Amino acid sequence: MRISAIWGLIALVIWKTEAMPPRIEGGRKQEQPRDEGTSYDSLELGSYDPNLDNYDLSNYEERAIKNDYGEPTPKVRLTEMGLVVKSRGVRATGRALKMDLLYPLYFGPLSDLGLPTCLVCVCLGTSVYCDDADLERIPPLPQETTYFYARFNHISRIQSEDFKGLRKLKRIDLTSNSISTIEDDALQLLPALQELIIPENKLIFLPKLPGSLVRLDAQFNNLRGSGILPESFKKLEFLYLSDNEMDYIPVPLPSSLRSLHLQNNHIQKIQEGTFCDAEDHKYVRRVLEDIRLDGNPINLSLTPNAYFCLPRLPIGSYI
Ligand SMILES: *[C@@H]1O[C@H](CO)[C@@H](O)[C@H](O)[C@H]1NC(C)=O
């Protein structure tokens, strides 16, 4: 992490803390102390509390316009030097903070909390980090977003509009949410999407996915098999579906596949042609070196001719 970026974040946090004092009208809510450090501790964000649920933000914008929350307004200026925050004698400068870093911080779309997404989340270049922020839905993302992380939140649904038009989005990481539904066109039209990382959710079906996908990680869900259509994947290399309710191996497996993890499912049998082409004994799947079928009620000895094209036998029970 560059020093200038750290300065920028510290400056932002000072501004943010000043701009949104945790004053709760009517004393309805109490500010909760954070019980555990987030992964941003290394950025030295100190007492920054991303848990915006604790703030009454219902008329934040209105109050911000009227400036009637009784605190001195911090003066934030954009200068050639970067970001300058001046408030109550505190002065912090983010020297040489790049404009591409500042852009989403100040002009990003409003999130469902009524704040620019990059105040709720941390935007670093084209990466947006929204981990452990009590989100219940995907926040509106800057057009330039390339890597999006929203791990450890309470998101239950992905809607068509959530990622719409994000033509540069390469990676979505939604590890450990409560996602049970992904609308069918929510991800299919993302032309650059390479990695969908969505383990520890409640998915029963996968939605239609773009053919650009290289890695699909949906371990620890409730997937049953139907809805997984790997024939559309020409580039898929890593397919991680362990700890689901799968009762068959999704076929046809793309020839680009390198890893297939299906351990701890309900697979009882495999077809002779699942991995290899029974008609074409010259066909070799050179790259598929990592197949895991352990933890399934399947006896791999019953299909002795299913593996001849593989560089290695699948891991699983042969007795
Ligand atoms: C698995 O299949 C092999 C070969 O047919 C057989 O010898 C073995 O007893 C089977 N194991 C179980 C647990 O059914």
Side-chain angles (χ1 to χ4, degrees):
M1 162 84 49
R2 292 197 317 268
I3 296 296
S4 60
I6 294 174
W7 267 113
L9 283 163
I10 292 170
L12 169 69
V13 168
I14 292 168
W15 175 73
K16 189 189 150 182
T17 323
E18 297 293 326
M20 293 192 310
R23 299 276 178 276
I24 310 299
E25 278 119 302
R28 278 181 290 116
K29 293 178 185 173
Q30 292 267 311
E31 196 185 351
Q32 305 283 331
R34 293 288 292 165
D35 50 4
E36 58 187 40
T38 68
S39 53
Y40 309 129
D41 284 351
S42 58
L43 302 180
E44 296 177 8
L45 292 189
S47 62
Y48 166 58
D49 181 359
N51 190 351
L52 291 167
D53 266 0
N54 298 328
Y55 303 125
D56 180 1
L57 298 170
S58 51
N59 55 1
Y60 166 72
E61 282 175 272
E62 207 182 310
R63 279 185 288 137
I65 292 164
K66 286 197 206 148
N67 185 27
D68 64 355
Y69 42 82
E71 294 284 328
T73 314
K75 295 202 169 34
V76 181
R77 286 186 294 128
L78 288 177
T79 68
E80 300 153 355
M81 298 298 286
L83 175 67
V84 178
V85 181
K86 210 176 173 187
S87 175
R88 279 201 236 148
V90 181
R91 190 170 192 279
T93 54
R95 268 164 212 272
L97 198 61
K98 286 238 177 91
M99 281 310 286
D100 63 353
L101 187 61
L102 281 173
Y103 173 81
L105 293 177
Y106 282 89
F107 309 108
L110 291 186
S111 71
D112 51 339
L113 296 168
L115 289 169
T117 294
C118 294
L119 289 182
V120 179
C121 306
V122 173
C123 301
L124 296 171
T126 56
S127 297
V128 179
Y129 290 88
C130 305
D131 294 332
D132 198 10
D134 280 337
L135 295 180
E136 292 182 2
R137 31 184 298 200
I138 306 287
L141 294 167
Q143 283 293 313
E144 301 298 301
T145 305
T146 308
Y147 302 102
F148 173 59
Y149 304 88
R151 298 166 285 203
F152 312 105
N153 284 290
H154 312 292
I155 299 164
S156 60
R157 188 181 182 88
I158 298 179
Q159 291 171 310
S160 311
E161 317 81 59
D162 286 345
F163 296 109
K164 201 167 181 183
L166 299 180
R167 299 190 61 80
K168 298 189 174 169
L169 194 57
K170 282 190 186 166
R171 180 185 303 149
I172 297 173
D173 190 340
L174 291 163
T175 299
S176 206
N177 276 274
S178 312
I179 299 164
S180 57
T181 310
I182 302 179
E183 287 179 9
D184 234 342
D185 46 355
L187 303 173
Q188 193 185 11
L189 301 174
L190 297 173
L193 191 67
Q194 294 183 351
E195 296 177 74
L196 177 62
I197 304 163
I198 196 162
E200 296 165 50
N201 278 282
K202 295 178 176 164
L203 289 172
I204 297 172
F205 303 111
L206 285 175
K208 293 202 180 90
L209 292 166
S212 51
L213 217 58
V214 173
R215 178 152 77 120
L216 172 57
D217 181 347
Q219 304 176 70
F220 293 95
N221 275 275
N222 305 320
L223 295 172
R224 289 173 206 284
S226 45
I228 297 170
L229 298 168
E231 64 263 37
S232 63
F233 300 147
K234 299 277 184 283
K235 297 180 176 169
L236 193 68
E237 295 182 16
F238 305 94
L239 181 56
Y240 298 137
L241 299 172
S242 60
D243 297 274
N244 276 284
E245 325 259 317
M246 302 279 293
D247 51 16
Y248 69 94
I249 298 176
V251 287
L253 296 169
S255 55
S256 51
L257 201 62
R258 297 167 61 175
S259 278
L260 175 64
H261 286 190
L262 284 164
Q263 66 268 33
N264 305 325
N265 277 284
H266 307 313
I267 298 164
Q268 292 184 8
K269 56 181 173 183
I270 54 175
Q271 308 301 322
E272 298 262 309
T274 296
F275 304 115
C276 306
D277 185 348
E279 306 292 310
D280 180 3
H281 285 253
K282 290 192 199 116
Y283 175 64
V284 182
R285 274 189 190 270
R286 273 180 225 287
V287 294
L288 184 51
E289 293 201 29
D290 174 27
I291 303 173
R292 290 203 43 189
L293 288 165
D294 42 313
N296 284 281
I298 186 175
N299 183 347
L300 295 173
S301 298
L302 296 176
T303 46
N305 296 319
Y307 320 111
F308 66 84
C309 67
L310 297 174
R312 256 177 230 165
L313 287 175
I315 294 170
S317 173
Y318 290 86
I319 50 164

